[in-house]
Amino acid sequence: MKRIVTTLFVVSTLICFGQSTDEDAVRTTVDEFFTAFHAQDSAGLANLVSEKIVLQTIGTGKEGKTILRQQNFEDFIRSIVSIPDSVKFREKLLDYSIQTDGAMANAWTPYEFWVNDSFSHCGVNSFQMVKQQGVWRIVYLIDTRRKEGCKGQPN
């Protein structure tokens, strides 16, 4: 009986460890994305994404209507790399909600965006990832952007 309990404990620990390992790896990919983003490291960003990555943003237009914008990854890289050294920018992730199923994962990360230590906007990032050859790659990234209803928003 003692052996059965011990065996069940070891197997359940291995199963739980395997699941958290994928979740940890997905979180690491998100963290590495933002490390490269803040460092304006185009090669670092390109190394974390799929060849056919889709980038989209949901916002609100001047008339209050929801707008969906799509951006080419090369244009995104150019815009990040071209930010002058005099501009300090930081996307502060507030939380992580990660789900995995085999080779697919989703990371939901609410954020605040700051420019030169001033609040700019907030929203949520949704990263869709695929695990290829043991490496998590971002295949789809969509975010929301708003100035109202943000946790860190100054009064």
Coordinates of all heavy atoms in Angstrom, one line a residue, residues 40-113:
Q40 N 15.0 47.6 -27.7 CA 14.9 47.9 -29.1 C 15.8 46.9 -29.9 O 16.5 47.3 -30.9 CB 15.3 49.4 -29.4 CG 14.4 50.3 -28.7 CD 14.8 51.8 -28.8 OE1 15.7 52.2 -28.0 NE2 14.3 52.5 -29.7
D41 N 15.7 45.7 -29.5 CA 16.6 44.6 -30.1 C 15.8 43.9 -31.2 O 15.0 43.0 -30.9 CB 17.0 43.6 -29.0 CG 17.7 42.4 -29.4 OD1 18.1 42.3 -30.6 OD2 18.1 41.6 -28.6
S42 N 16.0 44.3 -32.4 CA 15.2 43.7 -33.5 C 15.5 42.2 -33.7 O 14.5 41.4 -34.0 CB 15.5 44.5 -34.8 OG 16.8 44.4 -35.1
A43 N 16.7 41.8 -33.6 CA 17.0 40.4 -33.7 C 16.4 39.6 -32.6 O 15.9 38.5 -32.8 CB 18.6 40.2 -33.7
G44 N 16.4 40.1 -31.4 CA 15.8 39.4 -30.3 C 14.3 39.2 -30.4 O 13.8 38.2 -30.2
L45 N 13.6 40.3 -30.9 CA 12.2 40.2 -31.2 C 11.9 39.1 -32.3 O 11.0 38.3 -32.2 CB 11.6 41.5 -31.6 CG 11.5 42.6 -30.5 CD1 11.3 44.0 -31.0 CD2 10.4 42.2 -29.5
A46 N 12.7 39.2 -33.4 CA 12.5 38.3 -34.5 C 12.7 36.9 -34.1 O 12.0 36.0 -34.7 CB 13.4 38.7 -35.7
N47 N 13.6 36.6 -33.2 CA 13.9 35.2 -32.8 C 12.7 34.6 -32.0 O 12.7 33.4 -31.8 CB 15.1 35.3 -31.9 CG 15.7 33.9 -31.6 OD1 15.7 33.0 -32.5 ND2 16.0 33.6 -30.4
L48 N 11.8 35.4 -31.5 CA 10.7 34.9 -30.6 C 9.4 34.7 -31.4 O 8.4 34.2 -30.8 CB 10.5 35.9 -29.5 CG 11.6 36.1 -28.5 CD1 11.4 37.3 -27.7 CD2 11.8 34.8 -27.7
V49 N 9.3 35.0 -32.7 CA 8.1 35.0 -33.4 C 8.2 34.0 -34.6 O 9.2 33.7 -35.1 CB 7.7 36.4 -33.9 CG1 7.5 37.4 -32.7 CG2 8.6 36.9 -35.0
S50 N 7.0 33.6 -35.0 CA 6.8 32.8 -36.2 C 7.1 33.6 -37.4 O 6.9 34.9 -37.4 CB 5.4 32.2 -36.2 OG 5.1 31.8 -37.5
E51 N 7.5 33.0 -38.5 CA 7.7 33.7 -39.8 C 6.4 34.5 -40.2 O 6.5 35.5 -40.9 CB 8.1 32.7 -40.9 CG 9.5 32.2 -40.8 CD 9.7 31.3 -42.0 OE1 9.0 31.3 -43.0 OE2 10.7 30.5 -41.9
K52 N 5.3 33.9 -40.0 CA 4.0 34.5 -40.4 C 3.2 35.2 -39.3 O 2.0 35.1 -39.3 CB 3.2 33.4 -41.1 CG 3.9 32.9 -42.4 CD 3.0 31.9 -43.0 CE 3.8 31.3 -44.3 NZ 3.0 30.4 -45.0
I53 N 3.9 35.8 -38.4 CA 3.2 36.4 -37.2 C 2.2 37.5 -37.7 O 2.4 38.2 -38.7 CB 4.2 37.1 -36.2 CG1 3.5 37.6 -35.0 CG2 5.1 38.1 -36.9 CD1 4.3 38.0 -33.9
V54 N 1.1 37.5 -37.0 CA 0.0 38.5 -37.2 C 0.0 39.4 -36.0 O 0.0 39.0 -34.9 CB -1.3 37.8 -37.4 CG1 -2.4 38.9 -37.5 CG2 -1.3 36.9 -38.6
L55 N 0.1 40.7 -36.3 CA 0.0 41.7 -35.2 C -1.2 42.6 -35.4 O -1.4 43.2 -36.5 CB 1.2 42.7 -35.2 CG 2.6 42.0 -35.0 CD1 3.7 43.1 -35.2 CD2 2.7 41.4 -33.7
Q56 N -2.1 42.7 -34.4 CA -3.3 43.5 -34.5 C -3.5 44.3 -33.2 O -3.0 43.9 -32.1 CB -4.5 42.7 -34.8 CG -4.5 42.0 -36.1 CD -5.7 41.2 -36.4 OE1 -6.2 40.5 -35.5 NE2 -6.2 41.3 -37.6
T57 N -4.1 45.5 -33.3 CA -4.5 46.3 -32.2 C -5.9 46.7 -32.3 O -6.4 47.0 -33.4 CB -3.6 47.6 -32.2 OG1 -2.2 47.2 -32.1 CG2 -4.0 48.5 -31.1
I58 N -6.6 46.7 -31.2 CA -8.0 47.1 -31.1 C -8.0 48.4 -30.3 O -7.5 48.5 -29.2 CB -8.9 46.1 -30.4 CG1 -8.9 44.8 -31.1 CG2 -10.3 46.6 -30.2 CD1 -9.5 43.6 -30.4
G59 N -8.6 49.5 -30.9 CA -8.7 50.8 -30.2 C -10.0 51.4 -30.5 O -10.9 50.8 -31.1
T60 N -10.1 52.7 -30.2 CA -11.3 53.4 -30.4 C -11.0 54.7 -31.3 O -10.0 55.4 -31.0 CB -11.9 53.9 -29.1 OG1 -12.2 52.7 -28.3 CG2 -13.3 54.6 -29.3
G61 N -11.7 54.9 -32.3 CA -11.5 56.0 -33.2 C -12.1 57.3 -32.6 O -12.7 57.3 -31.6
K62 N -11.9 58.4 -33.3 CA -12.3 59.7 -32.9 C -13.9 59.7 -32.7 O -14.4 60.5 -31.9 CB -11.9 60.8 -33.9 CG -10.4 61.0 -33.9 CD -10.0 62.0 -34.9 CE -8.5 62.1 -35.0 NZ -8.0 63.1 -36.0
E63 N -14.6 59.0 -33.5 CA -16.0 58.9 -33.4 C -16.5 57.9 -32.4 O -17.7 57.7 -32.2 CB -16.6 58.6 -34.8 CG -16.3 59.6 -35.8 CD -16.7 59.2 -37.2 OE1 -17.2 58.1 -37.4 OE2 -16.4 60.0 -38.1
G64 N -15.6 57.3 -31.6 CA -16.0 56.4 -30.6 C -16.2 55.0 -31.1 O -16.7 54.1 -30.3
K65 N -16.0 54.7 -32.3 CA -16.1 53.4 -32.9 C -14.9 52.5 -32.7 O -13.8 53.0 -32.7 CB -16.5 53.5 -34.4 CG -17.8 54.1 -34.7 CD -18.1 54.1 -36.2 CE -19.4 54.8 -36.4 NZ -19.7 54.9 -37.9
T66 N -15.1 51.2 -32.5 CA -14.0 50.3 -32.4 C -13.3 50.1 -33.7 O -13.9 50.0 -34.7 CB -14.5 48.9 -31.9 OG1 -15.1 49.1 -30.6 CG2 -13.4 47.9 -31.8
I67 N -12.0 50.2 -33.6 CA -11.1 50.1 -34.8 C -10.1 48.9 -34.6 O -9.5 48.8 -33.6 CB -10.3 51.4 -35.1 CG1 -11.3 52.5 -35.3 CG2 -9.4 51.2 -36.3 CD1 -10.6 53.9 -35.5
L68 N -10.0 48.1 -35.6 CA -9.0 47.0 -35.6 C -8.0 47.3 -36.7 O -8.3 47.5 -37.8 CB -9.7 45.7 -36.0 CG -8.8 44.5 -36.1 CD1 -8.1 44.1 -34.8 CD2 -9.5 43.3 -36.7
R69 N -6.7 47.4 -36.2 CA -5.6 47.8 -37.1 C -4.7 46.6 -37.1 O -4.4 45.9 -36.1 CB -4.8 49.0 -36.5 CG -5.6 50.3 -36.6 CD -4.7 51.4 -36.2 NE -5.4 52.7 -36.2 CZ -5.9 53.2 -35.1 NH1 -5.7 52.7 -33.9 NH2 -6.6 54.4 -35.2
Q70 N -4.2 46.3 -38.3 CA -3.2 45.2 -38.5 C -1.8 45.9 -38.9 O -1.8 46.9 -39.6 CB -3.6 44.2 -39.5 CG -2.6 43.0 -39.6 CD -3.3 41.8 -40.2 OE1 -4.5 41.6 -40.0 NE2 -2.5 41.0 -40.9
Q71 N -0.7 45.4 -38.3 CA 0.6 45.9 -38.6 C 1.5 44.8 -39.1 O 1.5 43.7 -38.5 CB 1.2 46.6 -37.3 CG 2.5 47.3 -37.6 CD 2.9 48.1 -36.4 OE1 2.6 47.7 -35.2 NE2 3.8 49.1 -36.6
N72 N 2.3 45.2 -40.1 CA 3.3 44.3 -40.6 C 4.4 44.2 -39.6 O 4.8 45.2 -39.0 CB 3.8 44.9 -41.9 CG 4.9 44.1 -42.5 OD1 6.1 44.2 -42.0 ND2 4.7 43.4 -43.6
F73 N 5.0 43.0 -39.3 CA 6.0 42.8 -38.3 C 7.3 43.6 -38.6 O 7.8 44.2 -37.7 CB 6.4 41.3 -38.1 CG 7.3 41.1 -37.0 CD1 6.9 41.2 -35.7 CD2 8.6 40.7 -37.2 CE1 7.7 41.0 -34.6 CE2 9.5 40.5 -36.2 CZ 9.0 40.6 -34.9
E74 N 7.7 43.7 -39.8 CA 8.8 44.5 -40.2 C 8.6 46.0 -39.9 O 9.5 46.7 -39.4 CB 9.2 44.3 -41.7 CG 9.8 42.9 -42.0 CD 8.8 41.8 -42.1 OE1 7.6 42.1 -42.3 OE2 9.1 40.7 -41.8
D75 N 7.4 46.5 -40.1 CA 7.1 47.9 -39.8 C 7.1 48.1 -38.3 O 7.6 49.1 -37.8 CB 5.7 48.3 -40.3 CG 5.7 48.3 -41.9 OD1 6.8 48.4 -42.5 OD2 4.6 48.3 -42.4
F76 N 6.6 47.1 -37.5 CA 6.6 47.1 -36.1 C 8.1 47.2 -35.6 O 8.4 48.1 -34.8 CB 6.0 45.9 -35.5 CG 6.2 45.7 -34.0 CD1 5.5 46.5 -33.1 CD2 7.1 44.7 -33.6 CE1 5.7 46.3 -31.7 CE2 7.3 44.5 -32.2 CZ 6.6 45.3 -31.3
I77 N 8.9 46.4 -36.1 CA 10.4 46.4 -35.7 C 11.0 47.8 -36.0 O 11.7 48.4 -35.2 CB 11.2 45.3 -36.5 CG1 10.7 43.9 -36.0 CG2 12.7 45.5 -36.3 CD1 11.1 43.5 -34.6
R78 N 10.7 48.3 -37.3 CA 11.3 49.6 -37.6 C 10.8 50.7 -36.7 O 11.6 51.6 -36.3 CB 10.9 50.0 -39.1 CG 11.8 49.4 -40.1 CD 11.6 50.0 -41.5 NE 10.4 49.5 -42.1 CZ 10.2 48.4 -42.7 NH1 11.2 47.5 -42.8 NH2 9.1 48.0 -43.3
S79 N 9.5 50.7 -36.3 CA 9.0 51.7 -35.4 C 9.7 51.6 -34.0 O 10.0 52.6 -33.4 CB 7.5 51.6 -35.3 OG 7.1 50.5 -34.6
I80 N 9.9 50.4 -33.5 CA 10.5 50.2 -32.2 C 12.0 50.7 -32.2 O 12.5 51.4 -31.4 CB 10.4 48.8 -31.7 CG1 8.9 48.4 -31.5 CG2 11.2 48.5 -30.4 CD1 8.1 49.3 -30.6
V81 N 12.7 50.2 -33.2 CA 14.1 50.5 -33.4 C 14.4 52.0 -33.6 O 15.4 52.6 -33.1 CB 14.8 49.7 -34.5 CG1 16.2 50.1 -34.8 CG2 14.7 48.2 -34.1
S82 N 13.4 52.7 -34.2 CA 13.6 54.2 -34.5 C 13.2 55.1 -33.3 O 13.4 56.3 -33.4 CB 12.7 54.5 -35.7 OG 11.4 54.5 -35.4
I83 N 12.8 54.5 -32.2 CA 12.5 55.4 -31.0 C 13.8 56.0 -30.5 O 14.8 55.3 -30.3 CB 11.8 54.6 -29.9 CG1 10.4 54.1 -30.4 CG2 11.7 55.5 -28.7 CD1 9.8 53.1 -29.4
P84 N 13.9 57.3 -30.4 CA 15.2 58.0 -30.0 C 15.5 57.6 -28.6 O 14.7 57.3 -27.8 CB 14.8 59.5 -30.1 CG 13.5 59.6 -30.7 CD 12.8 58.3 -30.7
D85 N 16.8 57.6 -28.3 CA 17.4 57.3 -27.0 C 16.8 58.3 -25.9 O 16.7 57.9 -24.7 CB 18.9 57.4 -27.0 CG 19.5 56.3 -27.8 OD1 18.9 55.2 -28.0 OD2 20.7 56.4 -28.2
S86 N 16.4 59.4 -26.3 CA 15.9 60.4 -25.4 C 14.4 60.0 -24.9 O 14.0 60.6 -23.9 CB 15.8 61.8 -26.0 OG 15.0 61.8 -27.1
V87 N 13.8 59.1 -25.5 CA 12.5 58.6 -25.1 C 12.6 57.3 -24.4 O 13.1 56.3 -24.9 CB 11.6 58.4 -26.4 CG1 10.2 57.9 -26.0 CG2 11.4 59.7 -27.1
K88 N 12.1 57.4 -23.1 CA 12.1 56.2 -22.3 C 10.7 55.6 -22.3 O 9.7 56.3 -22.0 CB 12.5 56.6 -20.8 CG 12.5 55.5 -19.8 CD 12.8 56.0 -18.5 CE 12.6 54.9 -17.4 NZ 12.7 55.5 -16.1
F89 N 10.6 54.4 -22.7 CA 9.2 53.7 -22.8 C 9.3 52.4 -22.0 O 10.3 51.7 -22.0 CB 8.8 53.6 -24.2 CG 9.6 52.6 -25.0 CD1 9.2 51.3 -25.2 CD2 10.8 53.0 -25.6 CE1 10.0 50.4 -25.9 CE2 11.6 52.2 -26.3 CZ 11.2 50.9 -26.5
R90 N 8.1 52.1 -21.4 CA 8.1 50.8 -20.7 C 6.6 50.3 -20.7 O 5.7 51.1 -20.4 CB 8.5 51.1 -19.2 CG 8.2 49.9 -18.3 CD 9.4 49.6 -17.4 NE 9.1 48.6 -16.4 CZ 9.1 47.3 -16.7 NH1 9.4 46.8 -17.8 NH2 8.8 46.4 -15.7
E91 N 6.5 49.1 -21.1 CA 5.2 48.4 -21.0 C 5.3 47.5 -19.7 O 6.1 46.6 -19.7 CB 4.9 47.5 -22.2 CG 3.5 46.9 -22.2 CD 3.0 46.6 -23.6 OE1 3.4 47.3 -24.6 OE2 2.2 45.7 -23.6
K92 N 4.5 47.9 -18.7 CA 4.5 47.2 -17.5 C 3.4 46.1 -17.4 O 2.2 46.5 -17.5 CB 4.3 48.2 -16.3 CG 4.3 47.6 -14.9 CD 4.0 48.7 -13.9 CE 3.8 48.0 -12.5 NZ 3.3 49.1 -11.6
L93 N 3.8 44.9 -17.4 CA 2.8 43.8 -17.3 C 2.2 43.7 -15.9 O 3.0 43.6 -15.0 CB 3.4 42.5 -17.8 CG 3.9 42.5 -19.2 CD1 4.4 41.1 -19.6 CD2 2.9 43.0 -20.2
L94 N 0.9 43.6 -15.8 CA 0.3 43.6 -14.5 C 0.0 42.2 -14.0 O -0.2 42.0 -12.8 CB -1.0 44.4 -14.5 CG -0.8 45.9 -15.0 CD1 -2.1 46.6 -15.1 CD2 0.1 46.6 -14.0
D95 N -0.2 41.2 -14.9 CA -0.5 39.9 -14.5 C -0.3 39.0 -15.7 O 0.0 39.5 -16.9 CB -2.0 39.9 -14.2 CG -2.5 38.6 -13.4 OD1 -1.6 37.8 -13.0 OD2 -3.7 38.4 -13.3
Y96 N -0.3 37.7 -15.5 CA -0.2 36.7 -16.6 C -1.3 35.6 -16.3 O -1.5 35.1 -15.2 CB 1.1 35.9 -16.5 CG 2.4 36.7 -16.7 CD1 2.9 37.5 -15.7 CD2 3.0 36.6 -17.9 CE1 4.0 38.2 -15.9 CE2 4.2 37.4 -18.1 CZ 4.7 38.2 -17.1 OH 5.8 38.9 -17.3
S97 N -2.0 35.3 -17.4 CA -2.9 34.2 -17.4 C -2.5 33.3 -18.6 O -2.7 33.7 -19.7 CB -4.4 34.6 -17.5 OG -5.3 33.5 -17.6
I98 N -2.0 32.1 -18.3 CA -1.5 31.3 -19.3 C -2.2 30.0 -19.4 O -2.5 29.3 -18.4 CB 0.0 31.0 -19.1 CG1 0.8 32.4 -19.1 CG2 0.6 30.0 -20.1 CD1 2.2 32.3 -18.6
Q99 N -2.6 29.6 -20.6 CA -3.2 28.3 -20.9 C -2.4 27.6 -21.9 O -2.0 28.2 -22.9 CB -4.7 28.5 -21.3 CG -5.5 29.2 -20.3 CD -6.9 29.5 -20.8 OE1 -7.2 29.5 -22.0 NE2 -7.8 29.8 -19.8
T100 N -2.3 26.3 -21.8 CA -1.6 25.5 -22.8 C -2.4 24.2 -23.1 O -3.1 23.7 -22.3 CB -0.2 25.0 -22.3 OG1 -0.3 24.2 -21.2 CG2 0.7 26.2 -22.0
D101 N -2.2 23.7 -24.3 CA -2.8 22.5 -24.7 C -1.9 21.9 -25.8 O -1.9 22.3 -27.0 CB -4.2 22.6 -25.3 CG -4.9 21.3 -25.7 OD1 -4.6 20.3 -24.9 OD2 -5.6 21.3 -26.7
G102 N -1.0 21.0 -25.4 CA -0.1 20.4 -26.3 C 0.9 21.5 -26.9 O 1.5 22.2 -26.1
A103 N 0.8 21.7 -28.2 CA 1.7 22.6 -28.8 C 1.1 24.0 -29.0 O 1.7 24.9 -29.7 CB 2.1 22.1 -30.2
M104 N 0.0 24.3 -28.3 CA -0.7 25.6 -28.4 C -0.7 26.2 -27.1 O -0.9 25.6 -26.1 CB -2.1 25.4 -29.0 CG -2.8 26.8 -29.2 SD -4.4 26.6 -30.0 CE -5.4 26.0 -28.6
A105 N -0.5 27.6 -27.0 CA -0.6 28.3 -25.8 C -1.2 29.7 -26.0 O -1.1 30.2 -27.1 CB 0.7 28.4 -25.1
N106 N -1.8 30.2 -24.9 CA -2.3 31.6 -24.9 C -1.8 32.2 -23.7 O -1.8 31.6 -22.6 CB -3.8 31.6 -24.9 CG -4.4 33.0 -24.7 OD1 -4.6 33.4 -23.5 ND2 -4.5 33.7 -25.7
A107 N -1.3 33.4 -23.8 CA -0.9 34.2 -22.6 C -1.7 35.6 -22.7 O -1.6 36.3 -23.7 CB 0.6 34.5 -22.6
W108 N -2.4 35.8 -21.6 CA -3.2 37.1 -21.5 C -2.5 37.9 -20.5 O -2.3 37.5 -19.3 CB -4.6 36.6 -21.0 CG -5.6 37.7 -20.9 CD1 -5.9 38.4 -19.7 CD2 -6.6 38.1 -21.8 NE1 -6.9 39.2 -19.9 CE2 -7.4 39.1 -21.2 CE3 -6.9 37.8 -23.1 CZ2 -8.4 39.7 -21.8 CZ3 -7.9 38.4 -23.8 CH2 -8.7 39.4 -23.1
T109 N -2.1 39.1 -20.9 CA -1.3 40.0 -20.0 C -1.8 41.4 -20.0 O -1.5 42.2 -20.9 CB 0.2 40.0 -20.4 OG1 0.3 40.5 -21.8 CG2 0.8 38.6 -20.4
P110 N -2.6 41.8 -19.0 CA -3.0 43.2 -18.8 C -1.7 44.0 -18.6 O -0.7 43.6 -18.0 CB -3.8 43.2 -17.6 CG -4.2 41.8 -17.3 CD -3.1 40.9 -17.9
Y111 N -1.7 45.3 -19.1 CA -0.5 46.1 -19.0 C -0.9 47.6 -18.9 O -2.0 48.0 -19.1 CB 0.3 45.9 -20.3 CG -0.3 46.6 -21.5 CD1 0.0 47.9 -21.9 CD2 -1.2 45.9 -22.4 CE1 -0.6 48.5 -23.0 CE2 -1.7 46.5 -23.5 CZ -1.4 47.8 -23.8 OH -2.0 48.4 -24.9
E112 N 0.2 48.3 -18.5 CA 0.2 49.8 -18.5 C 1.4 50.2 -19.4 O 2.4 49.6 -19.3 CB 0.4 50.4 -17.1 CG -0.7 50.1 -16.2 CD -0.4 50.5 -14.7 OE1 0.8 50.8 -14.5 OE2 -1.3 50.5 -13.9
F113 N 1.2 51.3 -20.2 CA 2.3 51.7 -21.0 C 2.7 53.1 -20.5 O 1.8 54.0 -20.4 CB 1.9 51.8 -22.5 CG 3.0 51.9 -23.4 CD1 3.7 50.7 -23.8 CD2 3.5 53.1 -23.9 CE1 4.8 50.8 -24.7 CE2 4.5 53.2 -24.8 CZ 5.2 52.0 -25.1

